[in-house]
Amino acid sequence: MQIIVNQNPRDIQSETLGEALTELGFTSTAIATAINGRFIPRDARADAILAEGDRLEVLAPMQGG
């Protein structure tokens, strides 16, 4: 299915957010996720079902000064 990941179209095979994050290479535990603007807590990612056209935002903390 095709979803939008951080404003970029991506084709994925995964059906859940947890699986999709692994498939897309987001392996850090220090990320925040949202589907269609709704925050998804880490412990809910395995149960969060994705649908065609969903907008997934993945945010990671940045370091710097």
Side-chain angles (χ1 to χ4, degrees), residues 5 10 12 14 18-28 31 58:
V5 180
R10 297 289 302 266
I12 62 168
S14 303
E19 293 170 347
L21 291 172
T22 300
E23 180 180 342
L24 294 165
F26 293 104
T27 57
S28 174
I31 59 173
V58 181

Side-chain angles (χ1 to χ4, degrees), residues 39-61:
F39 172 72
I40 306 294
R42 183 182 309 144
D43 60 354
R45 293 175 186 162
D47 298 322
I49 303 297
L50 294 169
E52 182 79 24
D54 275 349
R55 291 176 294 112
L56 171 60
E57 295 294 327
V58 181
L59 303 171

